[in-house]
Amino acid sequence: MLFPEHNWQPHIAQGDHGRDLYAFKKTLGGAVPFRDYFWVYGPIMPYYYACIFKLLGISIQSALVGEMLLKLLSSVLIYLILNFFIHPAFSFIGALYFLAFTTPFTHTYCHIGGIACLLAMLYFFFCYRKSQRTIYIHLSFLSVFLLALTKINFGILNYILLMICFLWSEKI
């Protein structure tokens, strides 16, 4: 299902894929987002994909592997989050459902990074609610910070919402 050689993306020119691939390659070469080339999102994803290009070579398949790694991380986080509420077998089915039927955001490779950060934030929040260890507060805010570096508007909004969640859960 996640094999990158299979053509899951038959029409590449439907969104910003060319701009994204160019940005990843430029970042690999030492260019800085916003300064050396136009970039509309946060700066972390060009660096992530530049690392993937460094490891696997500069190709669309490498970008798809990077995207699939984030999708796999997201499915593991879904499994862990669902374990707080339902039986592990059903959590596994939920994670598999995410892997099998989640359609990718067709315009960029970067949004799956935001999804992984959002899920990490939720997971650490639920860990805090269960154990009351402050390390999970710090990890959830680190996830929000990484989300802001992925997409700033999502990061700011989720920072506010996470603060409300923590304040509300402490009040309860």
Side-chain angles (χ1 to χ4, degrees):
M1 170 182 347
L2 294 177
F3 188 63
E5 297 297 319
H6 186 9
N7 190 10
W8 288 98
Q9 195 171 0
H11 35 287
I12 192 82
Q14 63 198 2
D16 298 330
H17 295 102
R19 183 207 60 208
D20 288 359
L21 293 167
Y22 173 76
F24 306 155
K25 183 179 180 294
K26 290 291 283 185
T27 304
L28 178 63
V32 177
F34 311 114
R35 185 186 73 190
D36 297 327
Y37 60 85
F38 174 73
W39 190 246
V40 295
Y41 304 115
I44 199 167
M45 294 311 286
Y47 289 105
Y48 167 77
Y49 282 106
C51 289
I52 296 293
F53 279 4
K54 180 93 168 160
L55 293 172
L56 302 176
I58 300 171
S59 69
I60 293 173
Q61 280 77 23
S62 298
L64 290 174
V65 167
E67 185 179 41
M68 289 175 200
L69 288 173
L70 289 171
K71 191 173 181 181
L72 188 61
L73 173 65
S74 296
S75 67
V76 169
L77 287 167
I78 286 172
Y79 172 78
L80 293 172
I81 290 168
L82 289 175
N83 268 340
F84 286 110
F85 305 105
I86 59 178
H87 190 273
F90 294 116
S91 299
F92 183 72
I93 291 170
L96 281 181
Y97 185 87
F98 175 80
L99 280 176
F101 297 109
T102 300
T103 56
F105 189 77
T106 57
H107 300 291
T108 181
Y109 295 111
C110 299
H111 282 38
I112 190 67
I115 291 170
C117 291
L118 277 171
L119 290 169
M121 177 196 72
L122 278 174
Y123 172 68
F124 293 131
F125 175 75
F126 291 133
C127 285
Y128 171 75
R129 290 298 305 143
K130 185 176 182 178
S131 69
Q132 295 295 311
R133 295 183 56 211
T134 57
I135 185 70
Y136 294 119
I137 295 173
H138 300 297
L139 289 171
S140 61
F141 280 106
L142 175 64
S143 300
V144 169
F145 177 70
L146 292 174
L147 177 61
L149 290 177
T150 304
K151 196 157 168 57
I152 187 70
N153 56 345
F154 287 3
I156 292 170
L157 175 66
N158 281 283
Y159 173 78
I160 294 167
L161 294 174
L162 186 61
M163 287 295 297
I164 290 169
C165 287
F166 274 120
L167 292 173
W168 182 62
S169 68
E170 290 303 314
K171 181 103 171 142
I172 289 177

